[in-house]
Amino acid sequence: MSLFKARDWWSTVVGNKEEFDQGCLCVANVDNSSSGQDKIIVGSYMGFLRIYNPHPAKPGDPVQAEELLLETQLREPILQVEVGKFVSGTELLHLAVLHCKKLCVYAVSGTLGNTEHGNQYQLKLMYEHNLQRTACNMTYGPFGGIKGRDLICIQSMDGMLMLFEQESYSFGRFLPGFLLPGPLTYSSRTDSFITVSSCRQVESYKYQVLAFATDASRQETEQQKLGSGKRLAVDWVLNIGEQALDICVVSFNQTVSSVFVLGERNFFCLKDNGQIRFMKKLDSSPSCFLPYSSVSEGTINTLIGNHNSMLHIYQDVTLKWATQLPHIPVAVRVGNFQDLNGVIVALSDSGCLQCSYLGTDPSLFQAPKVEARVINYEEYDAEMNKLQKIIKEATKTKVLSLLCFHLFSFSQKAVDSEVKAEVIPSVTVKITLESRLTPLKTKLSVCVQPPLALTHDKFILELGKAKSKTVVLAAFLKGNCPPADLEGSALASYSTQTGIPRVAQCKFRFPLKLVCFSAQPSKTATQKLTIDTNKPSVSLSTLFPDFDDQIDDDQPNALGFQLLAGSKITLLASKTSQRYRIQCDQFEDIWLIAKELVLRLEQYFRKKNCKDFACTFSDPIPLQEYFEIIDHHFELRLNAGKYEQLLSERAVQFRAIERRLLARFKDKTPAPLQHLDTLLEGTYRQVIALADAAEENQANMFQAFTRLKSATQLVILLISLWQKLSADQVAILEATFLPLTQDTQELGWEEIVDAAVSHLLKTCLSKSSKDHALTLANQFSIPRDTNRLKKHITLLYDRLAKGGHMSLDTDTDSQQLTMLPGGCTTILESDLEERPVSQDSTMMFTNHRHLNQQ
């Protein structure tokens, strides 16, 4: 039993399985009785109209038959009931009932009964208006300052306000920008209609503006032919940012009036000019509200019902009382019954009608004393540890597992492949999904790095009773450039029986023969790299058994690789020393062979149970060649911006010529074209040529970015072998130099890497504490050149050469390692170490060769 529970004074259930809403309840002296007592009028969507006069002998007594004054069925759903002075020639109150297509005004009268049956009440139709439009809601009041009578305004579902001057139809106006109807009310002090539009704005329209903005046909009859008129001008607008449930105007004196709006999360109090007087954020979702007069001067009380079956009473924004209701109210009113003023009348959507008042019900229940028990904490701790282990094992158990393996095969040239070769090798990948539980609906996605491509990359699988399913797909080289990575991944997403989303992932690596084939070794090359090991050299036929068909007996330690979309690479193994040399004409093409060599060497010695094997690189890092690739990629990015600007200018010119030609063709007086048609054709050809050039530049930029990723990974590999970096340090370098999977004109590789390298130089690779000061800079934008980036990469190389240590868990960097938005501050030129220029120095290099040539 709740202490703050509404005290039931009178209650009943209206009808049987009927539906009600906020407009279905009205409390007023509808029969104009001399006692002035209010009656409860209830209309339902089933078309029933009922009038109650509650007068229980004791609070909570059952409903007596004579308390139901009137019950009738009107055959049409009742949307809203209101009581006002709706009949001309009299100031008595009458009942207005709004149906979907009709407005009816009734007089409720009672006659004294001579028998025990009591008084008899009758419902007499005074007049009705047939509506051509479907009604939504209505409001009433003394429109235009009229005295002694009320006019009615009905809002239709399509946004038309239809105004009725009692027995006659006055006019209709459409609301501007209407989409969905909202709550509607009338302010007598400002003589305006206030509603909330679907744009979540409170809008006010003056009655005079509605009346005089007329160019509508004056031949409209009482059946309201379609109204038309000028576009209405709104008096004021206020954006409340949420949909409104109800709106009400409260005016307790002639000088001050307030507009109350109940939103989905807040309720607002506005001045009559649209300014916010106050607002209150609600803790729960409201269902209805009613502002009423307060005993304190200058304040207003508000009843707000919510979906927690609670009724809150606010004085302005202060919560004064909260009471529990037996149902969720959709309409609430305040009435006077049997000299009991301020009775709260609440109606639910299922017809629970209750009259209650505020008070408290003291609880007489006393909780029994709990027997004291000795708690064995050690036993509870052991049980808790056991349960935690069970939970941990359950979360670790995989419901779905992925198994990937591939079969190598040759196929004819793929239809959509750009590689200029007669035969394109492909790899058949088989992915098996195994489930331990009941059949699962699984979404499988397979990803590879372009220019590699797949025949299928997305699957939706029903595992069925077998709990295992295998999908087959093929991978091949689609683009006309070597890939930067031969790894792929398969990702399966599913939901457990409890609805928890889970993901299973496996990674796989394609064989090297997918992108190259064996060839005769070449003795000459411009780019050469030497990798040292601490173990004797291994025969190349042992390391590369899949390429041993081209190994000559005269040169057993030389092996040639020909990339499908690249150059020829030669791999040499020293007979006397523990070295391997890789040579090629293109620097970035060395990456795939160097990575494959390191992986196969580690795998070979791992099988030999050799744990101290290591690869090293002692030569200078070839930053000059790396910078040339960066310059070429950046040059293509600049060209893309120029093409975009030229295309924009030519498009503007093309549209201007079109407008002039159209004006000439529309002119009634023929005039010479003055070579406008020739100019139009020439501009069109320029647009087409620029578009083709931009498309070609885009393809070249994609290839350049792929080559840049290959060169970047090769540099990272060489640095890791040179400095013997750990896996975490290699991961830092990869996150720094490979932040993007694809390059765009708005956010490119150069500016992102420059910011990341600057961050490393100012944190874990800083020389002094002054380098730790990070300040926000401008947002990322394409730089003017690559000088700053190349200087920062050179500085990074120098600091690593001098023993710099990359770590993300040092004490000095713990507060500064998060990447700040917008990049880092510029490194001053004085911070750069001066060192003599040599062949391996990387100052400023001119791009003297085209890297996009195959």
Side-chain angles (χ1 to χ4, degrees), residues 214-230:
T214 175
D215 89 13
S217 175
R218 302 305 297 175
Q219 299 176 356
E220 294 169 331
T221 63
E222 199 175 37
Q223 284 75 24
Q224 307 94 47
K225 309 280 179 161
L226 296 179
S228 62
K230 298 178 182 178

Side-chain angles (χ1 to χ4, degrees), residues 149-248:
R149 53 179 178 165
D150 294 325
L151 308 186
I152 299 176
C153 176
I154 298 176
Q155 180 179 209
S156 66
M157 295 297 292
D158 58 353
M160 183 179 182
L161 296 183
M162 299 174 286
L163 284 90
F164 298 88
E165 192 170 347
Q166 298 183 341
E167 292 85 352
S168 60
Y169 171 69
S170 182
F171 59 86
R173 298 291 179 266
F174 282 100
L175 295 177
F178 180 85
L179 181 61
L180 294 173
L184 178 68
T185 189
Y186 171 75
S187 175
S188 59
R189 186 173 181 274
T190 59
D191 193 24
S192 58
F193 297 94
I194 304 173
T195 184
V196 182
S197 66
S198 56
C199 300
R200 303 180 177 182
Q201 295 178 344
V202 184
E203 301 176 354
S204 175
Y205 298 91
K206 291 284 189 179
Y207 174 75
Q208 296 296 331
V209 175
L210 292 173
F212 288 105
T214 175
D215 89 13
S217 175
R218 302 305 297 175
Q219 299 176 356
E220 294 169 331
T221 63
E222 199 175 37
Q223 284 75 24
Q224 307 94 47
K225 309 280 179 161
L226 296 179
S228 62
K230 298 178 182 178
R231 183 177 180 86
L232 296 179
V234 65
D235 184 24
W236 54 262
V237 175
L238 176 67
N239 192 334
I240 60 174
E242 57 184 310
Q243 296 295 340
L245 303 180
D246 201 359
I247 187 170
C248 183

Side-chain angles (χ1 to χ4, degrees), residues 531-535 578 601-602 605 610-616 721 724:
I531 296 178
D532 300 329
T533 63
N534 57 355
K535 298 295 179 183
Q578 304 170 356
L601 283 173
E602 292 176 350
F605 286 102
C610 182
K611 298 181 179 180
D612 58 346
F613 171 78
C615 295
T616 58
L721 298 180
K724 299 179 181 180

Side-chain angles (χ1 to χ4, degrees), residues 4 25 27 124 164 208 409 413 432 462 582 587 627 711 804:
F4 299 100
L25 177 64
V27 176
K124 180 180 178 182
F164 298 88
Q208 296 296 331
S409 62
K413 182 175 181 180
T432 302
E462 296 284 352
I582 309 172
F587 172 72
F627 288 164

Side-chain angles (χ1 to χ4, degrees), residues 142-393:
F143 304 161
I146 194 171
K147 301 294 184 180
R149 53 179 178 165
D150 294 325
L151 308 186
I152 299 176
C153 176
I154 298 176
Q155 180 179 209
S156 66
M157 295 297 292
D158 58 353
M160 183 179 182
L161 296 183
M162 299 174 286
L163 284 90
F164 298 88
E165 192 170 347
Q166 298 183 341
E167 292 85 352
S168 60
Y169 171 69
S170 182
F171 59 86
R173 298 291 179 266
F174 282 100
L175 295 177
F178 180 85
L179 181 61
L180 294 173
L184 178 68
T185 189
Y186 171 75
S187 175
S188 59
R189 186 173 181 274
T190 59
D191 193 24
S192 58
F193 297 94
I194 304 173
T195 184
V196 182
S197 66
S198 56
C199 300
R200 303 180 177 182
Q201 295 178 344
V202 184
E203 301 176 354
S204 175
Y205 298 91
K206 291 284 189 179
Y207 174 75
Q208 296 296 331
V209 175
L210 292 173
F212 288 105
T214 175
D215 89 13
S217 175
R218 302 305 297 175
Q219 299 176 356
E220 294 169 331
T221 63
E222 199 175 37
Q223 284 75 24
Q224 307 94 47
K225 309 280 179 161
L226 296 179
S228 62
K230 298 178 182 178
R231 183 177 180 86
L232 296 179
V234 65
D235 184 24
W236 54 262
V237 175
L238 176 67
N239 192 334
I240 60 174
E242 57 184 310
Q243 296 295 340
L245 303 180
D246 201 359
I247 187 170
C248 183
V249 174
V250 180
S251 179
F252 300 119
N253 54 59
Q254 298 299 324
T255 59
V256 179
S257 65
S258 300
V259 180
F260 282 81
V261 181
L262 179 64
E264 297 173 321
R265 296 173 297 275
N266 307 275
F267 84 91
F268 305 84
C269 179
L270 315 178
K271 299 180 181 179
D272 50 17
N273 59 357
Q275 297 179 358
I276 294 181
R277 179 166 290 161
F278 62 81
M279 64 175 290
K280 174 67 177 177
K281 181 176 178 60
L282 303 176
D283 296 332
S284 56
S285 177
S287 59
C288 61
F289 87 136
L290 176 69
Y292 66 98
S293 60
S294 174
V295 294
S296 301
E297 186 177 356
T299 61
I300 299 175
N301 289 356
T302 308
L303 299 174
I304 299 181
N306 57 38
H307 285 84
N308 294 332
S309 301
M310 295 290 294
L311 186 67
H312 291 171
I313 295 89
Y314 290 90
Q315 187 176 75
D316 290 345
V317 295
T318 305
L319 180 64
K320 290 295 185 179
W321 197 265
T323 182
Q324 183 75 40
L325 296 177
H327 52 76
I328 300 176
V330 296
V332 62
R333 300 289 185 269
V334 175
N336 302 323
F337 307 100
Q338 283 192 344
D339 298 331
L340 183 61
N341 298 332
V343 177
I344 300 174
V345 183
L347 177 67
S348 71
D349 58 351
S350 59
C352 295
L353 180 63
Q354 182 186 30
C355 295
S356 58
Y357 57 94
L358 303 180
T360 58
D361 281 334
S363 176
L364 302 179
F365 173 77
Q366 293 183 357
K369 294 183 179 180
V370 180
E371 296 181 0
R373 292 181 298 174
V374 178
I375 300 177
N376 189 345
Y377 291 101
E378 295 181 357
E379 182 181 350
Y380 284 173
D381 290 341
E383 184 179 0
M384 177 63 71
N385 294 333
K386 181 179 178 181
L387 293 176
Q388 287 180 348
K389 288 182 180 180
I390 296 175
I391 295 173
K392 190 174 182 180
E393 293 297 328

Side-chain angles (χ1 to χ4, degrees), residues 26-47:
C26 182
V27 176
N29 185 18
V30 67
D31 59 345
N32 299 281
S33 65
S34 59
S35 62
Q37 293 184 6
D38 291 333
K39 313 297 185 298
I40 302 176
I41 305 100
V42 181
S44 72
Y45 285 164
M46 300 299 291

Side-chain angles (χ1 to χ4, degrees), residues 728 732 759-760 763-764 805-810 813-814 817:
D728 293 338
I732 295 175
H759 183 73
L760 285 181
T763 53
C764 55
H805 180 70
M806 289 185 298
S807 176
L808 295 182
D809 54 359
T810 58
D813 301 329
S814 59
L817 293 174

